[in-house]
Amino acid sequence: MSINLKNKQEIIAEFGSNEKDTGSAEVQIAMLTKKISELTEHMKANKKDFATKRGLLMMVGKRKRLLSYLKEKDLEGYRNLIKKLGIRG
C-alpha cells in the first residue's frame, strides 16, 4: 500500500527542484496524490476498512491544505501542478 522507494524517487525527480527536495509543497502534494489513489483502490475492494477510510480522509484534508497554501504563494505553480496531477476536475 505504501509508496516504494523507486516511486518516491520518480515523484521527487518530476516535481522537486532537485533529487533531495522532499519537503516542498509540490512534492508533498504529488506524494499524497499517489497515496490517495492507492488507498482509493483499496477502499473499493474493502468497504468496511474504517481505519483506512479515516487515514484516507486525513490525507485528503492535508492535501487540500497544502494546495491552498500553494495557491496563495504561487498561483502559476498551483495551476501547473493540478494540471500535471489531473486533480480538481
Side-chain angles (χ1 to χ4, degrees):
M1 260 212 241
S2 65
I3 300 176
N4 63 20
L5 183 61
K6 183 180 180 198
N7 289 341
K8 278 187 182 181
Q9 289 172 344
E10 290 172 0
I11 291 171
I12 292 169
E14 185 176 351
F15 295 99
S17 60
N18 59 42
E19 67 274 354
K20 294 195 183 279
D21 180 19
T22 58
S24 68
E26 293 89 352
V27 174
Q28 289 184 50
I29 292 167
M31 294 261 197
L32 283 170
T33 301
K34 176 76 172 160
K35 286 182 186 178
I36 288 168
S37 65
E38 288 177 359
L39 284 178
T40 302
E41 291 302 314
H42 171 80
M43 288 302 297
K44 287 178 183 175
N46 303 286
K47 296 189 185 303
K48 293 188 177 184
D49 189 354
F50 298 111
T52 301
K53 184 176 181 179
R54 180 177 184 271
L56 176 63
L57 291 174
M58 288 171 48
M59 285 183 204
V60 170
K62 183 168 183 133
R63 182 178 72 175
K64 183 178 177 183
R65 288 191 305 272
L66 284 167
L67 281 168
S68 67
Y69 167 79
L70 185 62
K71 185 176 181 180
E72 182 180 310
K73 295 295 179 188
D74 181 18
L75 185 60
E76 192 59 37
Y78 166 79
R79 289 181 179 155
N80 291 334
L81 183 67
I82 61 171
K83 192 179 294 185
K84 269 186 175 178
L85 292 175
I87 54 178
R88 301 273 170 132

